[in-house]
Amino acid sequence: MAREKLKRRARGRRSPFAAAILIGVGLLATGGIYAGASAAVAATDEATTTTTQASAEEGETLFQANCATCHGMDLEGREGFGPSLNGVGELAVHFQMSTGRMPMQMHGPQADQKPVQFTDEQIESVALYVQSVAPGPEMPSSRIIDGNGDVSHGAELFRINCAMCHNVAAAGGALTQGKFAPDIMDTTPENIYAAMVTGPQNMPVFSNMNLTEEDKRDIISALLYQQEAQAPGGFTLGSLGPVSEGLFIWIFGIGGLIAVAVWITAKSN
């Protein structure tokens, strides 16, 4: 009986190498997982880099086919056709192409908005190509265009710096020599920022010395708030103030009174 108990105890004992074997297996498993994860991350980074390069190459092809006629193969511009793009960067390219202003349909006082001719991916590719050749202002961070700035301060800055051209209600207005400030009630926050930074056409450039990044964020927030706000008074008549309201009253109000007077006179006769 004693010998059988000793044999059972001997069988139940662990090998002195068991702990070392378990540690080794754990290290091997950990190392394998780490190696696999590192390889996956490296493959993802390589794929991202390849995609970026492919986008820039596609952008070069699109630029040569659609833009080089006016702006030149090397972005140096052509006198009488299109300006140099050196230093404009991706922000200006995105603004001009995403609003349909470029490619320009015809020469005139300014480039009008029209239906966009390229997909978002194609616009991004051309912007990426131009940025790689002629670096300039980059796309804004998500924080600048999140719409969570100081709306009151932004509205005040807009009235001081922008309302004389775009109207206090951002409904646009006429300028000289056939030019005009466009309605920006449907403009995206990216393009509002781009207009302030790049100064397209008649728009002045607002550097950080004029308007800080926080100021620009506040203006964008105020415009986004205004875009989403409802008009409690009903039809806004373009939000152009007493001119449009007076014209409406003159045409429809007085015109209606004259029509009623003529009707009464005709009926009495």
Side-chain angles (χ1 to χ4, degrees):
M1 292 293 294
R3 288 180 180 179
E4 288 180 2
K5 289 182 179 180
L6 289 174
K7 286 180 181 180
R8 290 175 183 173
R9 289 179 182 177
R11 290 173 185 172
R13 288 178 184 175
R14 294 180 180 177
S15 171
F17 301 103
I21 292 172
L22 288 174
I23 293 173
V25 171
L27 290 174
L28 287 173
T30 305
I33 294 172
Y34 177 79
S38 299
V41 171
T44 303
D45 293 341
E46 183 178 356
T48 302
T49 304
T50 302
T51 302
T52 302
Q53 291 175 350
S55 296
E57 292 172 359
E58 181 188 359
E60 182 178 7
T61 302
L62 288 168
F63 181 89
Q64 292 174 351
N66 299 277
C67 315
T69 304
C70 295
H71 294 289
M73 295 295 289
D74 298 324
L75 286 72
E76 74 278 8
R78 293 184 60 197
E79 186 176 356
F81 289 90
S84 169
L85 299 183
N86 289 323
V88 301
E90 62 180 340
L91 188 60
V93 174
H94 181 272
F95 174 86
Q96 297 291 348
M97 294 183 69
S98 66
T99 58
R101 290 181 167 89
M102 292 292 158
M104 196 172 181
Q105 188 172 18
M106 60 179 291
H107 287 281
Q110 69 183 59
D112 292 335
Q113 286 187 256
K114 59 183 186 299
V116 182
Q117 301 184 32
F118 300 93
T119 64
D120 293 340
E121 291 76 14
Q122 290 174 326
I123 293 172
E124 184 179 356
S125 295
V126 176
L128 186 62
Y129 166 67
V130 172
Q131 183 71 9
S132 66
V133 178
E138 299 177 349
M139 297 296 291
S141 65
S142 58
R143 181 180 180 278
I144 297 298
I145 58 175
D146 62 3
N148 294 323
D150 188 335
V151 172
S152 177
H153 183 236
E156 180 181 1
L157 290 174
F158 182 85
R159 288 193 297 270
I160 295 172
N161 297 279
C162 317
M164 68 284 296
C165 295
H166 288 285
N167 179 283
V168 71
L175 301 176
T176 60
Q177 300 178 349
K179 302 174 183 178
F180 61 91
D183 176 358
I184 53 178
M185 286 303 292
D186 295 323
T187 305
T188 64
E190 292 87 355
N191 286 334
I192 295 173
Y193 178 85
M196 289 189 284
V197 172
T198 64
Q201 301 179 130
N202 305 294
M203 178 95 173
V205 174
F206 292 97
S207 67
N208 290 337
M209 297 293 292
N210 305 115
L211 295 173
T212 65
E213 290 289 284
E214 286 300 315
D215 290 338
K216 294 182 178 72
R217 184 190 185 212
D218 292 345
I219 291 175
I220 292 171
S221 300
L223 289 173
L224 292 178
Y225 176 83
Q226 193 163 332
Q227 288 178 5
E228 297 171 359
Q230 299 295 322
F235 188 48
T236 62
L237 298 176
S239 298
L240 298 178
V243 174
S244 60
E245 294 168 1
L247 183 63
F248 180 86
I249 293 173
W250 178 265
I251 294 175
F252 293 97
I254 297 181
L257 291 175
I258 294 174
V260 170
V262 171
W263 177 78
I264 292 174
T265 303
K267 191 174 181 65
S268 61
N269 292 334

